[in-house]
Amino acid sequence: MLRVRPLVYTADLARGTRFLTALGLTPARDREPDDSCAVFDAGSGRVALHACTPGSEEHGTTALAFEVGDVHEFARRTAEAGTAVELTAEGHGPAARITAPDGLSFLAHAGPRDTGAPASPLAVLALWYTTDDAAAARVLADLGAKPRIGSPAGTLHAFRAKNGGLVAAITGPAAGCGLAFDYEGDVRDLVPRVSGAGFDHDVVEESHGRSLRTAAPWGAEVVVHEAQRDVENPTAP
């Protein structure tokens, strides 16, 4: 089992919650053990918000993270595939920590196989900015993610996690992570909700389709892309 669940640090958990629900995510049924963290379900994948101190360096940052069925089994399979894994007790319960060749380090925690989330056209898209997109793609494959789109120029590799969510490895000057979404439909459908919740936004016409660009309360621009079909599997949803 593998599910994408990026972690966003914010000094205003309530406003972050309002932002994600305006986009169409719903609070997870399996609650976190304390009020410092909240998890939200899209139709595919999850997003976690973690409270931090106003003015802290963490505020506005996003960390790549995953949910797996069995942490120890995930660690064993990932190591066998060729990517080193360290077992740790960081956060809530046991976790597996992976450190990629570009220096990006991220966690995989245990999560439910079935979230019980309602159907939704929204999919979480974690953005992995990397100085070595080929190495990042190998790590994602070793985790069990499946290739979705490959750019001939080698600047973008996208993967789909079996139990929900997408990850794109994008060439950049430094390692880091961001949050975006794919939407199965017309992103203009989201405008009334986003506008009604009080968030600035703009709909942009692009060569590959429209996107909705909106200012998240943690200071980052979040882009919702109209979903593209898989190159390797044109029939994929």
Side-chain angles (χ1 to χ4, degrees):
M1 185 198 116
L2 185 70
R3 180 181 297 114
V4 178
R5 198 195 81 171
L7 175 63
V8 177
Y9 291 90
T10 176
D12 192 339
L13 200 61
R15 197 154 181 259
T17 295
R18 191 161 71 249
F19 176 75
L20 292 180
T21 54
L23 289 179
L25 286 83
T26 57
R29 294 183 180 182
D30 50 313
R31 298 182 63 84
E32 292 296 295
D34 60 56
D35 294 333
S36 67
C37 190
V39 178
F40 299 84
D41 283 303
S44 178
R46 293 179 138 185
V47 177
L49 294 181
H50 197 292
C52 63
T53 305
S56 67
E57 292 184 0
E58 287 183 322
H59 174 68
T61 63
T62 299
L64 184 62
F66 296 88
E67 288 184 344
V68 297
D70 183 310
V71 170
H72 289 83
E73 180 63 13
F74 166 80
R76 183 188 67 80
R77 291 183 178 180
T78 301
E80 283 186 355
T83 291
V85 183
E86 175 190 0
L87 291 173
T88 177
E90 297 175 56
H92 306 304
R97 177 169 290 283
I98 296 94
T99 301
D102 65 2
L104 188 73
S105 184
F106 55 89
L107 292 173
H109 284 282
R113 185 169 295 276
D114 182 4
T115 64
S120 163
L122 200 66
V124 176
L125 172 60
L127 306 175
W128 178 351
Y129 300 106
T130 175
T131 56
D132 190 341
D133 59 299
R138 287 195 299 272
V139 169
L140 291 170
D142 289 348
L143 301 186
K146 302 301 181 185
R148 184 178 181 232
I149 299 170
S151 166
T155 56
L156 169 66
H157 294 274
F159 286 75
R160 181 188 297 274
K162 180 179 180 181
N163 296 84
L166 309 165
V167 183
I170 305 169
T171 301
C177 186
L179 174 66
F181 296 91
D182 266 17
Y183 186 78
E184 288 281 353
D186 189 331
V187 294
R188 292 174 295 185
D189 296 343
L190 298 173
V191 168
R193 292 173 58 101
V194 173
S195 179
F199 296 104
D200 294 336
H201 62 277
D202 190 20
V203 175
V204 179
E205 299 281 349
E206 300 174 289
S207 59
H208 56 274
R210 296 185 191 92
S211 65
L212 174 71
R213 298 172 182 268
T214 181
W218 49 84
E221 181 184 65
V222 171
V223 181
V224 183
H225 305 272
E226 289 188 354
Q228 304 294 301
R229 290 189 177 274
D230 287 8
V231 171
E232 279 83 3
N233 182 7
T235 64

